[in-house]
Amino acid sequence: RKEVEQDPGPFNVPEGATVAFNCTYSNSASQSFFWYRQDCRKEPKLLMSVYSSGNEDGRFTAQLNRASQYISLLIRDSKLSDSATYLCVVARYSGGGADGLTFGKGTHLIIQP
Amino acid sequence: DTGVSQDPRHKITKRGQNVTFRCDPISEHNRLYWYRQTLGQGPEFLTYFQNEAQLEKSRLLSDRFSAERPKGSFSTLEIQRTEQGDSAMYLCASSSPPGQGEYGYTFGSGTRLTVV
């Protein structure tokens, strides 16, 4: 089983729609979770961290279910500029603290006018 | 510019040649990471430095790959005897440890390597 699994898509969604991405992770000891956004031929950029209580940032909502080892991202009122690849990311930990990130393959989102 | 910078942005090399990439992290960050990303994949962890010490290397980092961070500031990643399978985007990231300053990972723009 891969450490972080995502549906690669592509998701073709009309502008203004709501879209949800899911991700599962295999290491139950994982402690920090993130969603990154990556535009074509660019570096990944942090979209938001994911907290157990769920968190929201404008049109974006992230949820974490530790029991099911499942992370989600919801985008409401999608914009053309939301078109990108969304990477589910789990922090890797050693005894000294975080020592890097494990990425899913990414989910490709295309917002259509 | 206070971000992570990588040089060069693009590199085309012939198979069998050696290449070296450089990463300058955010100056306050003592942790530095190298990742490799191929088309359709997420970034894959290669190696990690805390200050000048290389603390972990992925099995993806074959004997042809070597990374250094001699003074705990910038880092270099060298690939010897390049192969076509080395063609990828090489990403550098830096971070501060949790609880020390603003915690988070910042990526550079990457070096895109094409081996022909």
Side-chain angles (χ1 to χ4, degrees):
Chain A
R1 181 183 174 186
K2 291 187 187 289
E3 288 190 65
V4 180
E5 293 204 62
Q6 295 180 252
D7 181 347
F11 283 42
N12 288 282
V13 174
E15 190 176 8
T18 295
V19 60
F21 305 138
N22 303 319
C23 163
T24 57
Y25 61 95
S26 61
N27 186 352
S28 59
S30 299
Q31 298 182 37
S32 293
F33 309 89
F34 311 91
W35 283 100
Y36 273 70
R37 170 191 170 130
Q38 188 171 27
D39 293 295
C40 187
R41 303 180 79 84
K42 300 284 189 181
E43 73 274 21
K45 292 187 176 176
L46 178 66
L47 179 65
M48 58 196 304
S49 300
V50 186
Y51 304 117
S52 296
S53 54
N55 50 299
E56 188 174 308
D57 183 1
R59 297 181 294 108
F60 298 83
T61 301
Q63 294 276 357
L64 168 65
N65 184 322
R66 286 188 184 273
S68 302
Q69 295 179 207
Y70 170 97
I71 304 162
S72 66
L73 176 68
L74 184 78
I75 306 175
R76 290 182 300 279
D77 187 24
S78 53
K79 313 289 185 192
L80 294 176
S81 58
D82 294 333
S83 297
T85 296
Y86 291 83
L87 297 159
C88 177
V89 185
V90 175
R92 304 165 68 246
Y93 274 94
S94 69
D99 58 355
L101 304 172
T102 300
F103 288 81
K105 286 188 176 184
T107 297
H108 190 41
L109 174 65
I110 302 170
I111 305 299
Q112 296 174 329
Chain B
D1 186 355
T2 57
V4 177
S5 62
Q6 292 188 245
D7 183 68
R9 292 291 303 274
H10 304 276
K11 178 71 177 179
I12 300 174
T13 191
K14 290 184 177 180
R15 189 176 53 180
Q17 297 294 306
N18 299 345
V19 293
T20 300
F21 311 140
R22 176 178 170 127
C23 171
D24 286 88
I26 292 173
S27 57
E28 306 85 59
H29 288 176
N30 66 346
R31 298 181 177 203
L32 185 149
Y33 311 83
W34 285 98
Y35 291 83
R36 181 175 70 186
Q37 186 173 25
T38 53
L39 195 63
Q41 303 293 319
E44 296 172 294
F45 172 81
L46 292 179
T47 189
Y48 150 60
F49 290 85
Q50 183 164 306
N51 299 311
E52 67 276 8
Q54 188 174 18
L55 297 188
E56 188 174 352
K57 293 193 289 186
S58 161
R59 58 178 174 77
L60 293 175
L61 216 64
S62 75
D63 291 345
R64 298 183 297 105
F65 288 70
S66 62
E68 294 183 344
R69 195 183 182 197
K71 298 181 180 178
S73 57
F74 74 90
S75 175
T76 57
L77 177 68
E78 181 183 15
I79 309 174
Q80 296 182 326
R81 305 181 302 281
T82 52
E83 302 173 356
Q84 286 187 320
D86 297 331
S87 296
M89 172 79 91
Y90 290 85
L91 292 159
C92 176
S94 69
S95 78
S96 55
Q100 295 183 25
E102 185 178 341
Y103 174 52
Y105 297 81
T106 302
F107 281 84
S109 299
T111 294
R112 184 169 296 280
L113 173 66
T114 303
V115 181
V116 297

